Every structure is written in C-alpha cells, then in structure tokens.
Amino acid sequence: MAVAPHALAGKLITLFGGGGFLGKHMAQALMAAGARVRIAQRHPSRAHAIKALGNLGQVQLVAVDATRPDLVAKAMIGSDAVINLIGILKGDFETAHVTTARNIANAAATIGARMIQVSAIGADSDSPSAYGRSKAAAEAAVRAALPGAIILRPSIVFGREDQFINRFAGMIRAASVLPLSPVPVVSGDTRFQPVFVGDVADAAVAALADPAAAGRTFELGGPQQISMRDLLDWIGRTSGHEPLLLDMPGFAASALATLTGWLPGAPITRDQLAMLAKDNVVAEGTDGLAALGIPATPLDAVAREWLDIYRPHGRFTKTSPA
C-alpha cells in the first residue's frame, strides 16, 4: 500500500534564526517530513552543518538582518510557512524579540504564509522580567499582523547540545575536583518542566501540518516537573558526582547578578534572576504536546547518553547496571 505524502512535502519553510540548537533539530524534522528548508539569519555560515543533513537542494542559507522589514520580505520570497526562532537571553529584548517578530509576521501576512512564533513559558505582559514582557509583546505583535499564527511556548529545552543541562553539568564536574566544594543554587524551589528538543521540533511540524492549529497557543513541557535544586542533584548523580548543593540567599543572588550580570558569560543576570521568581511549567488546562499528538520524552530517557562525558573518567567510568 502506498504511503500518503506528508502535508508539508515539497513546501518551503523559512526558519529565522534557524542555525542554533533548536533550529537544527527543527530543520531536521521538517526535512524528514519532505519539506524544503531555508535558514535565514544574520550569519548563515553558522548553519552550514544543516546543509549536510538534507538532500541535494533541500536546504538554503540566506543572510538577513531581521530588524529590517525589506530584507525580511526578500528572505521570505516563495515561502509557504515561516518559523521565528530569534531570541536572546540578555541585551536589547525590544529589538531582538518584538521588532523582528513584527517584521516577520507582517511579511508573512503579505505573502499569505503560515507562521509559528517560538516564544517561551513565562511570556507575560506583567512578568517581573524584561525578557518575559518582551516575549509577550512579540506574541501580541505577531497576532496583530497574523491572527492565524501559531505560538509555541516551550519550557527549558534540553538536548545533547543544550546550554542548560550541559552548563550545570560542567559546573558540577568542576566543583567535584575539590573536596567539599559547594555548587551554589539560586532559586532552588523554582520548578521547571524540561522538554526534549526533538519533541519541540516535532510539535512545530505537527502544528504546521494541522489546519486546526491556526491561531492557537501551545505550552510545551516534558512529563516531569522538577525544582532547580532537585534538577542539579539529578544532573550530579547522573554524571557520577555527589554535589554539595548550597542554597544561595536571595540577597546574595541579587548581589551576584548586580556585580557580574553585565559580564560576558556571567552566571546570572538581574533579569534572569527575576525570571526565576516564577515557576516555568505548563499552565493547567492549556494545550500542549498531547494536543499535537507528540508523546513527551522524559529527561532521564535521553540525557544519560551525553552526560557520560561529565563523569570523573568520561565515558570510560565504570557504572553499575541500570
């Protein structure tokens, strides 16, 4: 019996900011569905690795400054759909999040393309953080231009190349070199709902393929809610360490963010500290992965594969059978 073609087969999907961690996985999922992918970003050279993941001619790379409406429109020519992945964790949120999202949505509306705006759980006009407020403003700008746009709000996204689990795993390994060296815990009671990068990518494909997803918002979280403290403990034990976790008082965390937050590679900024004031979990009653037919992948099911590199002797560490 012949296999029915996927709804996205042959479609051209433009990914703005698609050369990063999430973009790479999203591009792979789209190409697996038969779509053609165009990666549009300021430095397309950073996305060269994606070309090798597709068939001949399946991947295009385009340089674009998404703050300029004329360049956004040119980058989107011929697109059937567009996904906006542009995001930063520090800097000019208004420009990076709101201006670019508005430009992309306006261009998509002009040519009749579908759109996914990748936002974040915590997007809220009343958020204590500028990041959260800018994500909410970006969603509003997109919906104003394109009411049928789909919004995906993931919690913390994890995967082999992520900058969250890996960052803490490296910190815990470094601390383990010295006996009784503590690992500071900021906002230890704040809960997260880590979501696998492959699930977020599959959710984007499913949403684009489903006409009923138009105009809806999906909050994407994994099957487990976990506090920051418990997450650090799990990372430590899974990577072969027994971290000495030390809760950092609020005033100390605030002082750290104030004194070092402006530095490149700072452990935490004042705005990130403000974000940690609220749980980062899927709101009760909202559509999520299940509504898109995507089973949620547990952190434990995939993270062990790459956390081996943080063990005392790397992948050669002897472990007991599971």
Side-chain angles (χ1 to χ4, degrees):
M1 184 173 67
V3 177
H6 193 278
L8 300 184
K11 302 292 186 182
L12 176 60
I13 317 296
T14 297
L15 277 64
F16 282 85
F21 165 57
L22 178 53
K24 174 184 175 182
H25 288 267
M26 206 165 278
Q28 285 183 280
L30 288 165
M31 289 188 289
R36 294 174 294 136
V37 173
R38 178 183 291 157
I39 306 297
Q41 62 182 64
R42 191 181 294 270
H43 301 292
S45 61
R46 297 174 182 172
H48 278 165
I50 295 177
K51 294 204 73 168
L53 302 176
N55 296 322
L56 184 64
Q58 197 175 14
V59 181
Q60 306 170 18
L61 303 180
V62 178
V64 62
D65 177 354
T67 66
R68 290 182 52 181
D70 58 327
L71 298 182
V72 169
K74 289 180 180 179
M76 208 182 296
I77 291 174
S79 298
D80 297 288
V82 58
I83 300 175
N84 180 25
L85 291 155
I86 297 173
I88 60 174
L89 291 175
K90 60 189 295 186
D92 184 355
F93 296 127
E94 179 68 24
T95 299
H97 293 163
V98 186
T99 300
T100 58
R102 181 183 295 112
N103 290 343
I104 293 167
N106 285 337
T110 298
I111 65 173
R114 299 190 70 193
M115 179 174 178
I116 289 180
Q117 169 71 11
V118 178
S119 185
I121 288 180
D124 185 346
S125 58
D126 294 323
S127 171
S129 76
Y131 173 90
R133 294 192 298 273
S134 71
K135 283 293 188 179
E139 291 183 5
V142 168
R143 283 281 170 76
L146 201 64
I150 301 161
I151 293 173
L152 300 183
R153 292 178 177 171
S155 182
I156 298 299
V157 181
F158 70 87
R160 184 176 296 274
E161 313 93 346
D162 72 44
Q163 295 299 311
F164 188 78
I165 301 295
N166 283 292
R167 182 178 185 180
F168 287 117
M171 182 187 303
I172 290 169
R173 180 178 60 182
S176 69
V177 174
L178 298 175
L180 300 179
S181 180
V183 176
V185 181
V186 176
S187 301
D189 292 328
T190 299
R191 293 180 302 145
F192 300 92
Q193 198 166 345
V195 59
F196 180 49
V197 64
D199 294 346
V200 178
D202 289 343
V205 173
L208 281 181
D210 183 5
R216 293 166 65 185
T217 297
F218 299 88
E219 295 202 346
L220 310 181
Q224 178 186 18
Q225 293 186 10
I226 187 169
S227 72
M228 174 66 86
R229 187 184 302 102
D230 289 343
L231 179 60
L232 293 181
D233 182 64
W234 180 86
I235 292 171
R237 288 184 288 101
T238 303
S239 59
H241 305 285
E242 295 184 7
L244 175 61
L245 302 179
L246 181 63
D247 285 293
M248 182 175 287
F251 72 87
S254 180
L256 177 66
T258 300
L259 294 173
T260 68
W262 57 275
L263 293 171
I268 192 167
T269 68
R270 288 192 62 82
D271 198 68
Q272 289 165 354
L273 184 60
M275 279 193 285
L276 289 173
K278 297 182 66 175
D279 290 338
N280 194 274
V281 299
V282 173
E284 188 174 350
T286 59
D287 288 331
L289 290 173
L292 292 166
I294 310 297
T297 303
L299 176 64
D300 190 67
V302 293
R304 291 180 183 274
E305 295 180 13
W306 83 84
L307 285 176
D308 276 353
I309 64 175
Y310 296 102
R311 289 183 172 276
H313 301 290
R315 298 189 187 280
F316 299 100
T317 302
K318 183 178 181 180
T319 58
S320 58

